[in-house]
Amino acid sequence: MMWLKLGALCLLLSSSPFCDGFSTLFPTDLGLAEEDEPFMPREREELDDCHIRYNRYMRTEAESLDPFEPYPEPRENGHVAAVGLTRKPGNTIDWLCMGTLIWENVVLTTARCTVQEGNTEPDVVRLGGGQYFPDSTITPADSEHVIERKVSAIVRHPQFNPITGQNDIAVMKLDTIVRASPAVVPACVWLYHEIPFSRMESVGRSVPQAGPKSEIINEVYLQRNKNKCATFGAGICMERNRTNVVNVCSTAARGDILQRRLVHNFATSPFLIGLLADHSSDGSCPTLRSYAPVHQYRDWLIEAMQQLETTATRSSFHPVACALRYVHVRPRVDNLLYERIGDIPRFPVGLEADEERYLNYIVQLVWPPGSPNARNNCVATFVEQTVLLTLAECVLPVNPTSVRTKHRYRSVSFEIADIVVHPEYSANSPRNNIAVIKLKTRAEVVPSCPWLYPMLPDRVDYTGIGRGNLNNFLADTPDDSSESLPTFVQPAVTTQPWPVCGHFLANLAARNQTVPQFTEDEHLCFGDEQWQVPDGCALLKGAPVQRYVVRAGGFIKQLFGLSLAGQFCGLGLPSVAVAVAPHASWLRSVVLKPLVQAGRSKSKGSSSALIFINPDLKRSDECTDGRGSLGICVPHEECLSTREQLNSGGHVTLCTNGSIICCAWGDIARGNRPAQPAISPVQAELDGCEDRYRAVREERFVGFQENEDDYGNLPSVAEIGWAMSGGKISFPCTGLLITLRTIVTTARCVESNGRKPTVARIGSIGAGPQTSYLLPPIRRVTVHEDYDETSGLHNIALITLSEPIVATPFVYPGCLWKNQTHLPARTQLLSLNDYEPRIITHFVHPMYYSECRERLADSTTGLLLNGQMCMLRESPESKFIHTTPCFATGSIIRWENTTANPEIIDAQYLVGLYSHGDCRKNDDVMLVIRVSDYYDWIVGNIK
């Protein structure tokens, strides 16, 4: 397997067969590249935030299969047989007609083929000719794959009429068994009365003007109304596809086949549907043809197989049984494999594992015991960890009480708190057929994010229910044909223009006697011409139609629609889904309703904001807001963070009355900002960080190109040291150099040894043999005056060096993240390795403050205090086992400001400092010092 890094290569490949959908379709870019650097507010503001909120689950690498080796033998026509008669003298063979191998020792052909002049009968069969119809001799090139068998018995239909051609069918038993191989393998036989395929393939013989071999021709024919073939009598009326580019056509040798190749296990099997009924003269190329359907001889065929003393039974001809019996020698469908990412299950148990691991966001609905209206054909899809979408018809007239994950051995149930059906939905109508389910507790699943935009990808995953042993990939491995329980399956289908669904909708109308009210503005159409073996995938109402989409620096599942109508998941016949995007406004009002009504999510352990009214403050007075930031009193509508402050659950300071609020300088809307105080030299140095050290970062880039080892260190990371006995120095925690003589770290770091640190080591982590790192002494340590060791409140400190350092490409200050309303959605935590002097990078992600408080209410980590924020470790959906390392207090959390300039080292911003958290649980919350909340304190305390 080869790994493709996400980025330009992935986007480039998204239009190739490798990136077109059993795991998921290769991720595609739908034009939202501006989200590569997403930022997260303190509280939720928009419905379309799933890719930011659940960024921790995103995949960042795409796995694609290596190209398959071409087959050494032809596999398409391994079932086609040449039926011959040995002529004497000379023992030459006349190849009279065609047949189809349907069992290891049985060939099906026409009865006319078995009756020759003088009552002679064919006595030899040749198989494995590939694309050629055998002549009288086998060439050396053919000998490896071509085999011959003698005919030992023939059974014709007892009512065969050689004059009229009625019941023109026969079977021939071979003298020895033919062992199935990639070059010679029996076809399946379609014995169902209904033939749903409109497009089929005619396999016939074309004799060239010169040359030793006649070619097997595979032509596409379209099924037509019987009236068009009235002169041919009963049968399957087929018309030659006029778009064929083949210059020759079958000469209608007796035994010509009408077949359809059906997909299963990422391979195809040919299904024999009919035998040519009309026999045109050699050399003609008729437009219309009539084929006798094989299904009308089903009972006779089973009796004939028994008469020939074969092991075949009626169940042997079931499509699933036949498909699995020869799956290991069928030709694979490369494009279906190449467009997948991740591990493709090779056995049904692999599908069950995927169902538990990747597909647990699709759940069954559970009704009260004995409910007469339970819908077992419906599912719901997680779009958030407490919110699901399904069809309105699935939850009416009786509401389900819970949802349950589907797995053979274990499942998890979640109790439903509320169900909201679209107010304009009417029973039995496809219009507004959508509902929201809200749970009482959060589920640890990776949701499928609702897609709220009009653009759609070319290919999607259409979720249905099917047999697991038809949807795994078996390469050269025989299947035991064992039973497989139904499982969620996701075949790839193509997004179709709405007019393509017209024929399908007309059929639905004919069956239901009413015209379904499907509309282009509310419904989506998906489908492919390629049919699947029956039981491969069936409709599952409310199931997700989705695809992985490149967003926010990774790729995540996006939900385009909910499955509504169609038989086979869009394979063969189109399927219709309820589009999610047209209902965006309604969804926003329902999903965000708790935020709108209560000002924040109601959750266990949450509290309202504490509002302080300071009567001494008036409009335009300087003030300090509830987060400790310097600001000014302005009307609440001019403060961009008013809503956020009210939703945060922290302190809110009002000036004089409720209409004037203390607003941080950076949160005042442009055009309304009064003149600010003069900027201090320290503030100017911090704010100008990127420009101030640009030349040093450009020089570092040049050095890195010449010698990666010496320029692979962390130039702004400082290790905080204490002198120990024996002259040794211990460096148990870290901080970040933010000015030429100032390091910021946590108070717990500087007080961890009961005395102040004495020395810092800067730029040594990752240093090479020629790296010039520094070891300056510490002059002063400044701990936040309100630091509380027990709770971790205001856990921040500054370290002042004895002398300013000189910035070099090896050592220079990093920048401070100043924005108080938003954080980067994807940051890096730098963790010290206990065994060697190097840093391990862990991606961590911020949370909404309300969600943080909800999680902390049920944990032992503590409460969310002023100046803190919550973060979660990265937990990629594709990673099976997640490690839970413990981090040291003061561990740096940084963000890289990626620029378009390829010849500079990008600036690193300090976003937070790890404070504390319980590392024993993978999903436990980490409490982090939010540096931007202490920007003013830092400026005021740098000496």
Side-chain angles (χ1 to χ4, degrees):
M1 310 295 270
M2 62 181 178
W3 290 87
L4 303 175
K5 292 292 185 180
L6 182 67
L9 180 58
C10 176
L11 301 183
L12 210 62
L13 288 176
S14 63
S15 60
S16 75
F18 284 90
C19 299
D20 273 349
F22 158 87
S23 275
T24 171
L25 284 178
F26 207 94
T28 186
D29 178 17
L30 293 182
L32 300 177
E34 69 277 4
E35 298 175 331
D36 285 348
E37 296 291 349
F39 297 97
M40 189 173 187
R42 291 179 181 252
E43 291 295 351
R44 190 175 188 188
E45 299 172 350
E46 296 294 336
L47 180 63
D48 186 32
D49 66 342
C50 180
H51 59 290
I52 301 176
R53 187 179 185 185
Y54 301 111
N55 194 275
R56 67 185 296 240
Y57 299 114
M58 278 191 168
R59 301 184 180 192
T60 55
E61 293 180 319
E63 181 184 3
S64 177
L65 291 173
D66 287 328
F68 290 100
E69 291 292 332
Y71 291 125
E73 69 286 315
R75 292 195 176 191
E76 291 298 322
N77 294 314
H79 58 293
V80 177
V83 181
L85 173 64
T86 304
R87 301 291 188 181
K88 296 181 180 179
N91 289 330
T92 60
I93 300 176
D94 288 345
W95 298 106
L96 307 170
C97 48
M98 296 177 62
T100 306
L101 187 69
I102 62 170
W103 201 249
E104 285 88 344
N105 61 344
V106 176
V107 170
L108 185 148
T109 186
T110 61
R112 283 178 175 174
C113 177
T114 64
V115 180
Q116 300 298 315
E117 296 178 3
N119 292 325
T120 57
E121 296 180 340
D123 61 351
V124 63
V125 167
R126 184 173 288 176
L127 297 155
Q131 72 181 75
Y132 295 107
F133 197 84
D135 62 351
S136 57
T137 61
I138 300 177
T139 66
D142 295 328
S143 60
E144 183 180 355
H145 309 299
V146 175
I147 62 173
E148 284 186 3
R149 291 290 187 269
K150 294 296 183 180
V151 177
S152 63
I154 297 176
V155 177
R156 301 180 191 88
H157 195 286
Q159 298 177 357
F160 166 59
N161 187 325
I163 299 176
T164 63
Q166 291 182 329
N167 303 310
D168 189 8
I169 190 171
V171 288
M172 301 185 297
K173 184 178 182 181
L174 308 182
D175 61 343
T176 56
I177 293 289
V178 175
R179 185 179 299 275
S181 70
V184 179
V185 57
C188 300
V189 184
W190 186 263
L191 295 179
Y192 290 118
H193 177 75
E194 182 181 4
I195 303 174
F197 322 114
S198 60
R199 185 182 298 266
M200 286 173 270
E201 185 181 37
S202 173
V203 182
R205 175 187 181 188
S206 175
V207 180
Q209 296 290 333
K213 295 182 180 179
S214 55
E215 191 174 356
I216 294 176
I217 297 298
N218 300 76
E219 296 180 287
V220 176
Y221 273 73
L222 306 177
Q223 189 171 358
R224 290 292 180 252
N225 190 293
K226 289 184 178 181
N227 295 333
K228 204 167 186 179
C229 299
T231 57
F232 295 133
I236 309 172
C237 179
M238 304 298 297
E239 182 176 16
R240 191 183 186 206
N241 186 8
R242 298 180 185 276
T243 62
N244 282 0
V245 295
V246 182
N247 294 323
V248 293
C249 64
S250 169
T251 56
R254 293 171 181 173
D256 278 21
I257 302 167
L258 184 67
Q259 68 177 28
R260 177 77 202 203
R261 302 197 73 92
L262 303 184
V263 172
H264 61 97
N265 306 96
F266 296 95
T268 62
S269 290
F271 277 76
L272 174 63
I273 296 172
L275 295 174
L276 188 63
D278 62 298
H279 302 282
S280 306
S281 60
D282 287 351
S284 65
C285 194
T287 302
L288 296 176
R289 283 183 174 176
S290 178
Y291 290 83
V294 179
H295 71 76
Q296 65 186 6
Y297 302 109
R298 178 179 55 208
D299 295 337
W300 170 83
L301 179 60
I302 302 302
E303 293 175 2
M305 298 294 284
Q306 295 173 349
Q307 185 176 341
L308 293 176
E309 298 181 343
T310 69
T311 59
T313 63
R314 185 179 297 271
S315 61
S316 301
F317 289 97
H318 190 280
V320 174
C322 179
L324 294 177
R325 186 159 57 242
Y326 305 115
V327 62
H328 59 292
V329 291
R330 297 299 189 190
R332 64 181 178 261
V333 186
D334 287 353
N335 64 315
L336 293 182
L337 290 163
Y338 286 148
E339 69 180 349
R340 295 293 178 175
I341 63 172
D343 297 326
I344 299 175
R346 293 185 175 270
F347 300 97
V349 67
L351 284 171
E352 294 173 10
D354 274 1
E355 189 174 77
E356 180 185 26
R357 178 182 171 193
Y358 294 124
L359 305 181
N360 59 356
Y361 63 94
I362 308 171
V363 294
Q364 298 171 307
L365 304 177
V366 181
W367 281 265
S371 174
N373 301 107
R375 292 286 300 269
N376 294 324
N377 65 335
C378 283
V379 295
T381 302
F382 274 98
V383 293
E384 297 179 13
Q385 292 185 329
T386 57
V387 179
L388 304 96
L389 292 185
T390 189
L391 300 180
E393 67 180 71
C394 290
V395 295
L396 293 176
V398 177
N399 288 167
T401 55
S402 62
V403 298
R404 181 176 57 210
T405 59
K406 180 182 180 296
H407 193 257
R408 179 184 297 192
Y409 304 110
R410 56 190 171 273
S411 62
V412 182
S413 295
F414 302 95
E415 192 174 354
I416 293 175
D418 191 18
I419 295 177
V420 183
V421 175
H422 196 290
E424 297 181 22
Y425 170 71
S426 299
N428 302 318
S429 171
R431 301 295 303 272
N432 301 304
N433 193 354
I434 189 170
V436 172
I437 297 175
K438 297 184 179 182
L439 303 181
K440 290 185 176 181
T441 58
R442 182 182 59 86
E444 187 56 43
V445 300
V446 182
S448 185
C449 299
W451 182 255
L452 307 179
Y453 301 92
M455 66 282 276
L456 295 171
D458 294 334
R459 299 273 283 173
V460 296
D461 274 328
Y462 198 100
T463 308
I465 194 79
R467 296 176 61 114
N469 56 358
L470 287 177
N471 288 276
N472 56 316
F473 174 54
L474 293 178
D476 302 322
T477 305
D479 189 271
D480 61 5
S481 300
S482 60
E483 290 295 324
S484 176
L485 294 178
T487 185
F488 293 140
V489 294
Q490 291 184 326
V493 293
T494 301
T495 305
Q496 298 290 350
W498 188 253
V500 173
C501 286
H503 179 69
F504 169 66
L505 299 180
N507 287 341
L508 282 182
R511 294 176 186 175
N512 300 333
Q513 304 302 317
T514 58
V515 179
Q517 299 174 357
F518 297 121
T519 60
E520 184 174 2
D521 62 342
E522 194 176 333
H523 297 94
L524 303 173
C525 181
F526 305 95
D528 273 350
E529 290 185 356
Q530 183 63 66
W531 288 77
Q532 195 174 32
V533 168
D535 294 343
C537 187
L539 173 68
L540 193 58
K541 291 206 169 188
V545 180
Q546 65 180 38
R547 180 166 181 176
Y548 279 79
V549 174
V550 178
R551 298 192 74 176
F555 41 97
I556 195 167
K557 297 188 294 284
Q558 294 281 177
L559 177 67
F560 302 102
L562 303 173
S563 181
L564 177 60
Q567 292 178 289
F568 310 114
C569 306
L571 298 171
L573 292 175
S575 287
V576 175
V578 174
V580 173
H583 301 289
S585 296
W586 176 74
L587 289 172
R588 187 175 293 108
S589 68
V590 174
V591 175
L592 300 184
K593 185 176 181 180
L595 299 178
V596 175
Q597 284 188 337
R600 49 171 278 110
S601 295
K602 294 180 179 179
S603 60
K604 183 178 178 181
S606 64
S607 60
S608 300
L610 298 177
I611 300 177
F612 295 90
I613 300 178
N614 189 336
D616 296 328
L617 292 175
K618 298 180 177 57
R619 180 172 179 173
S620 300
D621 285 350
E622 291 186 8
C623 58
T624 301
D625 71 3
R627 296 171 301 196
S629 299
L630 296 178
I632 193 170
C633 295
V634 298
H636 68 84
E637 63 270 14
E638 296 178 6
C639 183
L640 300 177
S641 61
T642 296
R643 179 181 175 184
E644 177 191 320
Q645 291 188 57
L646 293 173
N647 291 342
S648 67
H651 295 176
V652 177
T653 299
L654 300 182
C655 309
T656 306
N657 58 57
S659 64
I660 307 297
I661 190 171
C662 181
C663 186
W665 284 102
D667 295 342
I668 301 174
R670 290 185 177 181
N672 297 307
R673 297 178 184 175
Q676 299 186 31
I679 297 178
S680 69
V682 171
Q683 185 175 355
E685 181 177 359
L686 293 175
D687 293 351
C689 170
E690 275 207 49
D691 292 334
R692 184 180 296 269
Y693 303 109
R694 178 178 298 275
V696 174
R697 290 187 287 113
E698 290 175 345
E699 186 178 347
R700 180 177 174 84
F701 175 84
V702 173
F704 183 81
Q705 301 304 308
E706 297 175 352
N707 190 332
E708 293 185 12
D709 291 338
D710 289 337
Y711 288 86
N713 69 319
L714 299 176
S716 306
V717 177
E719 299 165 273
I720 313 304
W722 281 260
M724 311 298 287
S725 60
K728 295 183 178 180
I729 301 178
S730 173
F731 296 94
C733 52
T734 59
L736 192 83
L737 184 72
I738 58 171
T739 73
L740 295 176
R741 63 179 303 176
T742 307
I743 297 169
V744 62
T745 186
T746 59
R748 283 186 174 177
C749 170
V750 298
E751 295 190 351
S752 59
N753 282 331
R755 51 193 172 88
K756 303 303 182 185
T758 58
V759 66
R761 187 166 60 186
I762 310 171
S764 66
I765 298 176
Q770 304 300 320
T771 303
S772 299
Y773 62 87
L774 302 178
L775 198 68
I778 292 174
R779 178 180 179 182
R780 181 173 54 250
V781 174
T782 304
V783 176
H784 195 287
E785 57 274 12
D786 294 325
Y787 167 59
D788 186 304
E789 181 179 2
T790 303
S791 65
L793 177 66
H794 302 310
N795 183 16
I796 191 169
L798 297 178
I799 293 175
T800 304
L801 304 178
S802 296
E803 298 291 339
I805 69 162
V806 176
T808 71
F810 298 108
V811 178
Y812 56 86
C815 302
L816 277 184
W817 181 260
K818 184 180 177 181
N819 190 309
Q820 294 191 5
T821 61
H822 289 73
L823 288 172
R826 183 180 177 86
T827 58
Q828 296 175 329
L829 185 149
L830 307 181
S831 173
L832 273 175
N833 190 316
D834 294 335
Y835 305 104
E836 54 182 308
R838 68 185 183 92
I839 286 278
I840 299 177
T841 300
H842 305 267
F843 286 102
V844 293
H845 307 264
M847 301 170 60
Y848 291 131
Y849 277 59
S850 55
E851 184 178 357
C852 170
R853 293 188 183 90
E854 179 183 350
R855 294 204 186 197
L856 290 177
D858 297 319
S859 74
T860 59
T861 300
L863 298 176
L864 181 65
L865 305 175
N866 287 341
Q868 294 179 344
M869 60 181 173
C870 288
M871 285 193 163
L872 293 172
R873 298 172 178 87
E874 188 169 53
S875 181
E877 182 185 30
S878 56
K879 190 173 182 180
F880 188 69
I881 298 176
H882 300 279
T883 58
T884 57
C886 295
F887 303 128
T889 183
S891 294
I892 294 163
I893 298 174
R894 69 177 186 178
W895 172 75
E896 184 177 89
N897 185 19
T898 305
T899 64
N901 186 351
E903 297 183 352
I904 190 173
I905 298 295
D906 293 321
Q908 305 289 325
Y909 279 79
L910 178 66
V911 174
L913 295 167
Y914 176 74
S915 178
H916 60 283
D918 188 351
C919 65
R920 293 171 296 178
K921 297 180 181 179
N922 176 49
D923 193 38
D924 225 30
V925 176
M926 299 186 302
L927 285 176
V928 173
I929 301 302
R930 182 168 180 151
V931 173
S932 61
D933 282 359
Y934 291 95
Y935 179 81
D936 293 330
W937 179 86
I938 292 173
V939 171
N941 285 274
I942 290 180
K943 305 300 182 182

